[in-house]
Amino acid sequence: MNGQNIKLAKFAGFCYGVKRAVDTAKKLKAENPDKNVYILGELIHNSDVIQELEILGIKTIYEVPEKGDGICIVRSHGEAPSVFQKLEKAGFEVVDLTCPDVKKVQQRAVELAKDDYFVVIVGKSNHPEVVAIKANADLYSDKVIVADKPADIKPYEDEIKSCHKVGIVVQTTQMVSTLNSVADYIKSIAKEVLIYNTICKSTSMRQNEAKELAEESDLMVVVGSKKSANTTHLAEILKQCTNTIHIENDSELDEYKNLFKNIQKIGVTAGASTPQNVINNVISKIKEE
């Protein structure tokens, strides 16, 4: 596209937790060529990476079989303690690749539950990371809920008001605006509130940098899976700043050909589970148009 300025965000693509998980999975298979290597659930939300792992012989499973053989990787989102027990009982050699930042949220939630706080996890209730955080805290308390908007708190208002203290943790890939809206509502009804902002540093830096880039761009292109929480949140944030499209890879650019006409400044960013080659292909195709 002649005369256009395309700028790629510095914090785009794999975060350290994702890179660690992908690199370790490949290394495990290379070091154990004769062993079965499985991942419980998709290692990351990116179909290209899942396909690459399959080609290397690393299989994705979605349920724990009664009898297992070989290595089973627990992905970066983490799992419930009961799942670890099931994997070991099935006979797998378990390799835990839960992201260290996610582990910290689990630990915070457990600490709050043990200290008799009413625990609120800010995030999507069906997201695997949140499911694992809640499962860990549930072992120590029956006062653990998930909320991603103030309305989710309403059914628990009386219980929260009668509790002396409420503790809040947040899904690592959430938006700070979501945390604030839920926390502000809880502060208006609770006696004592302890908030742990457990949004990971990588997510915060990615979102802040992308917002700055959006302010000087006519169009933002967000690259990454529609199933990826951090990528969809990135697109949501940027849509409030400037014209924004969210694509999974370069093949989707054809749908937006007309949009690129007369656009001078294009900003590109990507989610934490987007491989560098996918980002490069998107930039190359924009330049070719």
Side-chain angles (χ1 to χ4, degrees):
M1 290 185 171
N2 295 331
Q4 285 184 331
N5 177 17
I6 302 166
K7 192 170 180 183
L8 174 64
K10 195 165 47 173
F11 300 109
F14 281 2
C15 65
Y16 85 96
V18 166
K19 188 176 186 308
R20 166 181 169 267
V22 174
D23 289 350
T24 306
K26 289 178 180 177
K27 189 176 176 214
L28 277 169
K29 185 60 185 171
E31 290 175 351
N32 300 276
D34 300 326
K35 276 189 186 178
N36 290 321
V37 178
Y38 301 97
I39 302 159
L40 183 58
E42 292 184 349
L43 185 66
I44 62 171
H45 288 138
N46 187 276
S47 55
D48 293 323
V49 173
I50 302 304
Q51 198 174 0
E52 183 190 354
L53 295 173
E54 288 275 353
I55 291 165
L56 292 173
I58 303 165
K59 296 167 190 164
T60 302
I61 58 172
Y62 295 93
E63 287 179 8
V64 181
E66 277 187 37
K67 199 159 179 59
D69 174 29
I71 298 167
C72 191
I73 294 166
V74 170
R75 59 190 174 166
S76 52
H77 301 99
E79 284 290 355
S82 60
V83 174
F84 280 90
Q85 289 163 9
K86 269 190 199 173
L87 287 167
E88 284 165 8
K89 192 179 174 186
F92 284 112
E93 180 187 331
V94 182
V95 175
D96 184 5
L97 291 185
T98 306
C99 172
D101 286 329
V102 173
K103 282 270 194 201
K104 283 177 197 166
V105 191
Q106 292 177 0
Q107 287 160 3
R108 288 290 193 199
V110 165
E111 286 164 16
L112 290 168
K114 283 180 174 178
D115 289 342
D116 202 32
Y117 279 83
F118 186 102
V119 182
V120 178
I121 303 162
V122 179
K124 294 281 184 189
S125 61
N126 60 349
H127 190 281
E129 179 192 321
V130 174
V131 171
I133 295 165
K134 187 174 188 301
N136 276 273
D138 280 341
L139 292 177
Y140 303 95
S141 173
D142 59 359
K143 298 179 291 187
V144 183
I145 66 165
V146 177
D148 73 344
K149 54 188 178 300
D152 295 337
I153 303 296
K154 284 191 181 291
Y156 305 95
E157 268 195 28
D158 290 342
E159 202 176 344
I160 286 171
K161 284 174 182 174
S162 67
C163 281
H164 288 296
K165 47 193 188 178
V166 178
I168 300 173
V169 295
V170 57
Q171 181 183 341
T172 58
T173 54
Q174 262 298 339
M175 297 185 289
V176 71
S177 58
T178 302
L179 169 61
N180 289 342
S181 66
V182 173
D184 287 347
Y185 187 78
I186 291 170
K187 282 190 277 189
S188 73
I189 58 171
K191 294 184 183 83
E192 180 192 326
V193 184
L194 177 57
I195 302 167
Y196 289 119
N197 180 352
T198 48
I199 296 172
C200 79
K201 196 175 175 185
S202 170
T203 297
S204 298
M205 291 193 307
R206 188 183 306 266
Q207 290 176 357
N208 291 336
E209 187 208 12
K211 278 194 283 188
E212 287 174 15
L213 184 55
E215 283 168 12
E216 57 185 58
S217 302
D218 303 315
L219 174 69
M220 285 297 294
V221 180
V222 179
V223 187
S225 171
K226 304 282 184 2
K227 290 194 288 184
S228 160
N230 77 85
T231 312
T232 52
H233 290 147
L234 200 53
E236 283 171 36
I237 290 166
L238 298 179
K239 278 173 184 173
Q240 296 167 20
C241 306
T242 191
N243 202 358
T244 301
I245 61 170
H246 177 185
I247 59 171
E248 297 209 347
N249 52 48
D250 61 298
S251 67
E252 291 179 41
L253 282 171
D254 293 337
E255 298 171 36
Y256 299 100
K257 275 187 175 178
N258 292 334
L259 188 61
F260 283 93
K261 287 174 183 172
N262 304 318
I263 294 279
Q264 293 305 311
K265 294 179 180 177
I266 300 168
V268 179
T269 188
S273 52
T274 310
Q276 192 59 47
N277 67 305
V278 174
I279 301 167
N280 293 343
N281 290 343
V282 167
I283 292 172
S284 296
K285 188 158 182 178
I286 293 172
K287 286 177 178 175
E288 287 167 11
E289 291 291 336

PDB file of all heavy atoms in Angstrom, residues 225-253:
ATOM      1  N   SER A 225      -6.258 -15.218  17.936  1.00  0.00           N
ATOM      2  CA  SER A 225      -7.441 -16.072  17.986  1.00  0.00           C
ATOM      3  C   SER A 225      -8.638 -15.363  18.619  1.00  0.00           C
ATOM      4  O   SER A 225      -8.497 -14.619  19.589  1.00  0.00           O
ATOM      5  CB  SER A 225      -7.132 -17.338  18.777  1.00  0.00           C
ATOM      6  OG  SER A 225      -8.296 -18.078  19.019  1.00  0.00           O
ATOM      7  N   LYS A 226      -9.828 -15.646  18.064  1.00  0.00           N
ATOM      8  CA  LYS A 226     -11.067 -15.106  18.638  1.00  0.00           C
ATOM      9  C   LYS A 226     -11.383 -15.801  19.977  1.00  0.00           C
ATOM     10  O   LYS A 226     -12.199 -15.328  20.752  1.00  0.00           O
ATOM     11  CB  LYS A 226     -12.240 -15.301  17.651  1.00  0.00           C
ATOM     12  CG  LYS A 226     -12.009 -14.700  16.248  1.00  0.00           C
ATOM     13  CD  LYS A 226     -12.205 -13.214  16.232  1.00  0.00           C
ATOM     14  CE  LYS A 226     -12.095 -12.500  14.903  1.00  0.00           C
ATOM     15  NZ  LYS A 226     -11.867 -13.134  13.661  1.00  0.00           N
ATOM     16  N   LYS A 227     -10.720 -16.928  20.235  1.00  0.00           N
ATOM     17  CA  LYS A 227     -10.920 -17.648  21.501  1.00  0.00           C
ATOM     18  C   LYS A 227      -9.988 -17.141  22.601  1.00  0.00           C
ATOM     19  O   LYS A 227     -10.119 -17.535  23.754  1.00  0.00           O
ATOM     20  CB  LYS A 227     -10.665 -19.152  21.297  1.00  0.00           C
ATOM     21  CG  LYS A 227     -11.705 -19.855  20.455  1.00  0.00           C
ATOM     22  CD  LYS A 227     -11.583 -21.374  20.571  1.00  0.00           C
ATOM     23  CE  LYS A 227     -10.359 -21.890  19.863  1.00  0.00           C
ATOM     24  NZ  LYS A 227     -10.285 -23.380  19.887  1.00  0.00           N
ATOM     25  N   SER A 228      -9.031 -16.292  22.221  1.00  0.00           N
ATOM     26  CA  SER A 228      -8.045 -15.791  23.179  1.00  0.00           C
ATOM     27  C   SER A 228      -8.608 -14.607  23.952  1.00  0.00           C
ATOM     28  O   SER A 228      -8.952 -13.578  23.364  1.00  0.00           O
ATOM     29  CB  SER A 228      -6.767 -15.383  22.432  1.00  0.00           C
ATOM     30  OG  SER A 228      -5.995 -14.508  23.214  1.00  0.00           O
ATOM     31  N   ALA A 229      -8.672 -14.732  25.279  1.00  0.00           N
ATOM     32  CA  ALA A 229      -9.232 -13.657  26.117  1.00  0.00           C
ATOM     33  C   ALA A 229      -8.433 -12.372  25.999  1.00  0.00           C
ATOM     34  O   ALA A 229      -8.988 -11.286  25.818  1.00  0.00           O
ATOM     35  CB  ALA A 229      -9.301 -14.113  27.573  1.00  0.00           C
ATOM     36  N   ASN A 230      -7.093 -12.481  26.083  1.00  0.00           N
ATOM     37  CA  ASN A 230      -6.299 -11.244  26.067  1.00  0.00           C
ATOM     38  C   ASN A 230      -6.382 -10.543  24.716  1.00  0.00           C
ATOM     39  O   ASN A 230      -6.345  -9.319  24.641  1.00  0.00           O
ATOM     40  CB  ASN A 230      -4.849 -11.533  26.486  1.00  0.00           C
ATOM     41  CG  ASN A 230      -4.016 -12.178  25.406  1.00  0.00           C
ATOM     42  OD1 ASN A 230      -3.448 -11.498  24.558  1.00  0.00           O
ATOM     43  ND2 ASN A 230      -3.944 -13.500  25.415  1.00  0.00           N
ATOM     44  N   THR A 231      -6.538 -11.318  23.624  1.00  0.00           N
ATOM     45  CA  THR A 231      -6.637 -10.716  22.289  1.00  0.00           C
ATOM     46  C   THR A 231      -7.975 -10.016  22.098  1.00  0.00           C
ATOM     47  O   THR A 231      -8.031  -8.893  21.578  1.00  0.00           O
ATOM     48  CB  THR A 231      -6.437 -11.785  21.186  1.00  0.00           C
ATOM     49  OG1 THR A 231      -5.287 -12.574  21.495  1.00  0.00           O
ATOM     50  CG2 THR A 231      -6.238 -11.143  19.829  1.00  0.00           C
ATOM     51  N   THR A 232      -9.064 -10.664  22.521  1.00  0.00           N
ATOM     52  CA  THR A 232     -10.384 -10.042  22.365  1.00  0.00           C
ATOM     53  C   THR A 232     -10.514  -8.797  23.244  1.00  0.00           C
ATOM     54  O   THR A 232     -11.113  -7.805  22.837  1.00  0.00           O
ATOM     55  CB  THR A 232     -11.527 -11.036  22.694  1.00  0.00           C
ATOM     56  OG1 THR A 232     -11.298 -11.628  23.967  1.00  0.00           O
ATOM     57  CG2 THR A 232     -11.614 -12.130  21.652  1.00  0.00           C
ATOM     58  N   HIS A 233      -9.909  -8.839  24.443  1.00  0.00           N
ATOM     59  CA  HIS A 233      -9.927  -7.649  25.309  1.00  0.00           C
ATOM     60  C   HIS A 233      -9.137  -6.508  24.671  1.00  0.00           C
ATOM     61  O   HIS A 233      -9.538  -5.345  24.749  1.00  0.00           O
ATOM     62  CB  HIS A 233      -9.348  -7.975  26.690  1.00  0.00           C
ATOM     63  CG  HIS A 233     -10.215  -8.866  27.508  1.00  0.00           C
ATOM     64  ND1 HIS A 233      -9.715  -9.785  28.410  1.00  0.00           N
ATOM     65  CD2 HIS A 233     -11.565  -9.005  27.547  1.00  0.00           C
ATOM     66  CE1 HIS A 233     -10.719 -10.426  28.966  1.00  0.00           C
ATOM     67  NE2 HIS A 233     -11.850  -9.982  28.457  1.00  0.00           N
ATOM     68  N   LEU A 234      -8.024  -6.854  24.029  1.00  0.00           N
ATOM     69  CA  LEU A 234      -7.204  -5.864  23.334  1.00  0.00           C
ATOM     70  C   LEU A 234      -8.037  -5.160  22.257  1.00  0.00           C
ATOM     71  O   LEU A 234      -8.033  -3.932  22.147  1.00  0.00           O
ATOM     72  CB  LEU A 234      -6.005  -6.578  22.717  1.00  0.00           C
ATOM     73  CG  LEU A 234      -4.751  -5.785  22.326  1.00  0.00           C
ATOM     74  CD1 LEU A 234      -4.236  -4.956  23.478  1.00  0.00           C
ATOM     75  CD2 LEU A 234      -3.672  -6.743  21.832  1.00  0.00           C
ATOM     76  N   ALA A 235      -8.749  -5.956  21.477  1.00  0.00           N
ATOM     77  CA  ALA A 235      -9.602  -5.390  20.410  1.00  0.00           C
ATOM     78  C   ALA A 235     -10.709  -4.514  20.992  1.00  0.00           C
ATOM     79  O   ALA A 235     -10.997  -3.431  20.471  1.00  0.00           O
ATOM     80  CB  ALA A 235     -10.192  -6.517  19.565  1.00  0.00           C
ATOM     81  N   GLU A 236     -11.308  -4.956  22.104  1.00  0.00           N
ATOM     82  CA  GLU A 236     -12.376  -4.175  22.760  1.00  0.00           C
ATOM     83  C   GLU A 236     -11.855  -2.809  23.194  1.00  0.00           C
ATOM     84  O   GLU A 236     -12.515  -1.778  22.990  1.00  0.00           O
ATOM     85  CB  GLU A 236     -12.893  -4.921  23.998  1.00  0.00           C
ATOM     86  CG  GLU A 236     -13.831  -6.071  23.702  1.00  0.00           C
ATOM     87  CD  GLU A 236     -14.123  -6.880  24.967  1.00  0.00           C
ATOM     88  OE1 GLU A 236     -14.223  -6.276  26.057  1.00  0.00           O
ATOM     89  OE2 GLU A 236     -14.226  -8.120  24.868  1.00  0.00           O
ATOM     90  N   ILE A 237     -10.682  -2.798  23.803  1.00  0.00           N
ATOM     91  CA  ILE A 237     -10.074  -1.547  24.291  1.00  0.00           C
ATOM     92  C   ILE A 237      -9.794  -0.602  23.122  1.00  0.00           C
ATOM     93  O   ILE A 237     -10.093   0.591  23.173  1.00  0.00           O
ATOM     94  CB  ILE A 237      -8.772  -1.846  25.074  1.00  0.00           C
ATOM     95  CG1 ILE A 237      -9.097  -2.524  26.404  1.00  0.00           C
ATOM     96  CG2 ILE A 237      -7.959  -0.579  25.308  1.00  0.00           C
ATOM     97  CD1 ILE A 237      -7.886  -3.153  27.083  1.00  0.00           C
ATOM     98  N   LEU A 238      -9.214  -1.137  22.051  1.00  0.00           N
ATOM     99  CA  LEU A 238      -8.790  -0.299  20.923  1.00  0.00           C
ATOM    100  C   LEU A 238      -9.965   0.238  20.118  1.00  0.00           C
ATOM    101  O   LEU A 238      -9.878   1.316  19.538  1.00  0.00           O
ATOM    102  CB  LEU A 238      -7.829  -1.081  20.020  1.00  0.00           C
ATOM    103  CG  LEU A 238      -6.521  -1.507  20.705  1.00  0.00           C
ATOM    104  CD1 LEU A 238      -5.634  -2.285  19.755  1.00  0.00           C
ATOM    105  CD2 LEU A 238      -5.764  -0.300  21.250  1.00  0.00           C
ATOM    106  N   LYS A 239     -11.068  -0.497  20.101  1.00  0.00           N
ATOM    107  CA  LYS A 239     -12.268  -0.032  19.380  1.00  0.00           C
ATOM    108  C   LYS A 239     -12.798   1.260  19.987  1.00  0.00           C
ATOM    109  O   LYS A 239     -13.492   2.029  19.329  1.00  0.00           O
ATOM    110  CB  LYS A 239     -13.346  -1.116  19.385  1.00  0.00           C
ATOM    111  CG  LYS A 239     -13.109  -2.169  18.302  1.00  0.00           C
ATOM    112  CD  LYS A 239     -14.078  -3.339  18.398  1.00  0.00           C
ATOM    113  CE  LYS A 239     -13.714  -4.397  17.362  1.00  0.00           C
ATOM    114  NZ  LYS A 239     -14.491  -5.630  17.483  1.00  0.00           N
ATOM    115  N   GLN A 240     -12.469   1.476  21.262  1.00  0.00           N
ATOM    116  CA  GLN A 240     -12.896   2.718  21.925  1.00  0.00           C
ATOM    117  C   GLN A 240     -11.983   3.887  21.564  1.00  0.00           C
ATOM    118  O   GLN A 240     -12.297   5.046  21.827  1.00  0.00           O
ATOM    119  CB  GLN A 240     -12.894   2.524  23.446  1.00  0.00           C
ATOM    120  CG  GLN A 240     -13.903   1.498  23.928  1.00  0.00           C
ATOM    121  CD  GLN A 240     -13.671   1.091  25.376  1.00  0.00           C
ATOM    122  OE1 GLN A 240     -13.014   1.794  26.132  1.00  0.00           O
ATOM    123  NE2 GLN A 240     -14.214  -0.047  25.767  1.00  0.00           N
ATOM    124  N   CYS A 241     -10.814   3.565  20.976  1.00  0.00           N
ATOM    125  CA  CYS A 241      -9.813   4.601  20.652  1.00  0.00           C
ATOM    126  C   CYS A 241      -9.821   5.001  19.180  1.00  0.00           C
ATOM    127  O   CYS A 241      -9.689   6.179  18.857  1.00  0.00           O
ATOM    128  CB  CYS A 241      -8.408   4.108  21.000  1.00  0.00           C
ATOM    129  SG  CYS A 241      -8.208   3.540  22.685  1.00  0.00           S
ATOM    130  N   THR A 242      -9.959   4.006  18.297  1.00  0.00           N
ATOM    131  CA  THR A 242      -9.892   4.286  16.858  1.00  0.00           C
ATOM    132  C   THR A 242     -10.527   3.135  16.092  1.00  0.00           C
ATOM    133  O   THR A 242     -10.942   2.134  16.684  1.00  0.00           O
ATOM    134  CB  THR A 242      -8.418   4.487  16.412  1.00  0.00           C
ATOM    135  OG1 THR A 242      -8.395   5.008  15.088  1.00  0.00           O
ATOM    136  CG2 THR A 242      -7.629   3.190  16.424  1.00  0.00           C
ATOM    137  N   ASN A 243     -10.589   3.267  14.777  1.00  0.00           N
ATOM    138  CA  ASN A 243     -11.114   2.206  13.920  1.00  0.00           C
ATOM    139  C   ASN A 243     -10.253   0.954  14.112  1.00  0.00           C
ATOM    140  O   ASN A 243      -9.026   1.031  13.979  1.00  0.00           O
ATOM    141  CB  ASN A 243     -11.046   2.691  12.463  1.00  0.00           C
ATOM    142  CG  ASN A 243     -12.020   1.940  11.578  1.00  0.00           C
ATOM    143  OD1 ASN A 243     -12.711   1.041  12.033  1.00  0.00           O
ATOM    144  ND2 ASN A 243     -12.063   2.308  10.318  1.00  0.00           N
ATOM    145  N   THR A 244     -10.862  -0.190  14.444  1.00  0.00           N
ATOM    146  CA  THR A 244     -10.102  -1.389  14.789  1.00  0.00           C
ATOM    147  C   THR A 244     -10.720  -2.635  14.171  1.00  0.00           C
ATOM    148  O   THR A 244     -11.939  -2.788  14.170  1.00  0.00           O
ATOM    149  CB  THR A 244     -10.059  -1.575  16.332  1.00  0.00           C
ATOM    150  OG1 THR A 244      -9.452  -0.421  16.928  1.00  0.00           O
ATOM    151  CG2 THR A 244      -9.281  -2.818  16.737  1.00  0.00           C
ATOM    152  N   ILE A 245      -9.853  -3.521  13.652  1.00  0.00           N
ATOM    153  CA  ILE A 245     -10.319  -4.830  13.198  1.00  0.00           C
ATOM    154  C   ILE A 245      -9.552  -5.915  13.941  1.00  0.00           C
ATOM    155  O   ILE A 245      -8.394  -5.731  14.306  1.00  0.00           O
ATOM    156  CB  ILE A 245     -10.191  -5.022  11.666  1.00  0.00           C
ATOM    157  CG1 ILE A 245      -8.727  -4.927  11.203  1.00  0.00           C
ATOM    158  CG2 ILE A 245     -11.072  -4.039  10.921  1.00  0.00           C
ATOM    159  CD1 ILE A 245      -8.499  -5.346   9.752  1.00  0.00           C
ATOM    160  N   HIS A 246     -10.217  -7.044  14.184  1.00  0.00           N
ATOM    161  CA  HIS A 246      -9.595  -8.185  14.868  1.00  0.00           C
ATOM    162  C   HIS A 246      -9.612  -9.355  13.898  1.00  0.00           C
ATOM    163  O   HIS A 246     -10.678  -9.825  13.497  1.00  0.00           O
ATOM    164  CB  HIS A 246     -10.389  -8.510  16.143  1.00  0.00           C
ATOM    165  CG  HIS A 246      -9.877  -9.717  16.881  1.00  0.00           C
ATOM    166  ND1 HIS A 246     -10.512 -10.219  17.992  1.00  0.00           N
ATOM    167  CD2 HIS A 246      -8.807 -10.529  16.666  1.00  0.00           C
ATOM    168  CE1 HIS A 246      -9.843 -11.283  18.424  1.00  0.00           C
ATOM    169  NE2 HIS A 246      -8.819 -11.497  17.629  1.00  0.00           N
ATOM    170  N   ILE A 247      -8.422  -9.815  13.495  1.00  0.00           N
ATOM    171  CA  ILE A 247      -8.316 -10.933  12.562  1.00  0.00           C
ATOM    172  C   ILE A 247      -7.459 -12.041  13.160  1.00  0.00           C
ATOM    173  O   ILE A 247      -6.603 -11.775  14.009  1.00  0.00           O
ATOM    174  CB  ILE A 247      -7.721 -10.490  11.198  1.00  0.00           C
ATOM    175  CG1 ILE A 247      -6.323  -9.880  11.391  1.00  0.00           C
ATOM    176  CG2 ILE A 247      -8.660  -9.528  10.479  1.00  0.00           C
ATOM    177  CD1 ILE A 247      -5.572  -9.620  10.102  1.00  0.00           C
ATOM    178  N   GLU A 248      -7.688 -13.270  12.721  1.00  0.00           N
ATOM    179  CA  GLU A 248      -6.885 -14.388  13.234  1.00  0.00           C
ATOM    180  C   GLU A 248      -5.594 -14.555  12.437  1.00  0.00           C
ATOM    181  O   GLU A 248      -4.571 -14.940  12.994  1.00  0.00           O
ATOM    182  CB  GLU A 248      -7.704 -15.681  13.213  1.00  0.00           C
ATOM    183  CG  GLU A 248      -8.922 -15.600  14.126  1.00  0.00           C
ATOM    184  CD  GLU A 248      -9.342 -16.941  14.692  1.00  0.00           C
ATOM    185  OE1 GLU A 248      -8.860 -17.987  14.208  1.00  0.00           O
ATOM    186  OE2 GLU A 248     -10.159 -16.940  15.628  1.00  0.00           O
ATOM    187  N   ASN A 249      -5.663 -14.279  11.127  1.00  0.00           N
ATOM    188  CA  ASN A 249      -4.463 -14.391  10.287  1.00  0.00           C
ATOM    189  C   ASN A 249      -4.655 -13.569   9.009  1.00  0.00           C
ATOM    190  O   ASN A 249      -5.701 -12.939   8.816  1.00  0.00           O
ATOM    191  CB  ASN A 249      -4.133 -15.853   9.966  1.00  0.00           C
ATOM    192  CG  ASN A 249      -5.335 -16.592   9.407  1.00  0.00           C
ATOM    193  OD1 ASN A 249      -6.005 -16.095   8.504  1.00  0.00           O
ATOM    194  ND2 ASN A 249      -5.617 -17.768   9.949  1.00  0.00           N
ATOM    195  N   ASP A 250      -3.648 -13.601   8.115  1.00  0.00           N
ATOM    196  CA  ASP A 250      -3.668 -12.738   6.923  1.00  0.00           C
ATOM    197  C   ASP A 250      -4.794 -13.069   5.947  1.00  0.00           C
ATOM    198  O   ASP A 250      -5.227 -12.218   5.182  1.00  0.00           O
ATOM    199  CB  ASP A 250      -2.315 -12.802   6.206  1.00  0.00           C
ATOM    200  CG  ASP A 250      -1.971 -14.208   5.735  1.00  0.00           C
ATOM    201  OD1 ASP A 250      -1.842 -15.107   6.579  1.00  0.00           O
ATOM    202  OD2 ASP A 250      -1.830 -14.399   4.531  1.00  0.00           O
ATOM    203  N   SER A 251      -5.328 -14.314   5.977  1.00  0.00           N
ATOM    204  CA  SER A 251      -6.393 -14.691   5.036  1.00  0.00           C
ATOM    205  C   SER A 251      -7.657 -13.855   5.243  1.00  0.00           C
ATOM    206  O   SER A 251      -8.447 -13.668   4.317  1.00  0.00           O
ATOM    207  CB  SER A 251      -6.724 -16.181   5.173  1.00  0.00           C
ATOM    208  OG  SER A 251      -7.323 -16.443   6.428  1.00  0.00           O
ATOM    209  N   GLU A 252      -7.852 -13.330   6.457  1.00  0.00           N
ATOM    210  CA  GLU A 252      -9.056 -12.536   6.742  1.00  0.00           C
ATOM    211  C   GLU A 252      -8.957 -11.099   6.240  1.00  0.00           C
ATOM    212  O   GLU A 252      -9.952 -10.368   6.243  1.00  0.00           O
ATOM    213  CB  GLU A 252      -9.345 -12.535   8.251  1.00  0.00           C
ATOM    214  CG  GLU A 252      -9.787 -13.888   8.783  1.00  0.00           C
ATOM    215  CD  GLU A 252     -10.049 -13.859  10.270  1.00  0.00           C
ATOM    216  OE1 GLU A 252     -10.640 -12.883  10.764  1.00  0.00           O
ATOM    217  OE2 GLU A 252      -9.652 -14.825  10.953  1.00  0.00           O
ATOM    218  N   LEU A 253      -7.773 -10.682   5.826  1.00  0.00           N
ATOM    219  CA  LEU A 253      -7.597  -9.299   5.360  1.00  0.00           C
ATOM    220  C   LEU A 253      -8.415  -9.000   4.108  1.00  0.00           C
ATOM    221  O   LEU A 253      -8.798  -7.854   3.872  1.00  0.00           O
ATOM    222  CB  LEU A 253      -6.116  -9.003   5.082  1.00  0.00           C
ATOM    223  CG  LEU A 253      -5.237  -8.737   6.310  1.00  0.00           C
ATOM    224  CD1 LEU A 253      -3.773  -8.688   5.907  1.00  0.00           C
ATOM    225  CD2 LEU A 253      -5.636  -7.441   7.012  1.00  0.00           C
TER     226      LEU A 253
END
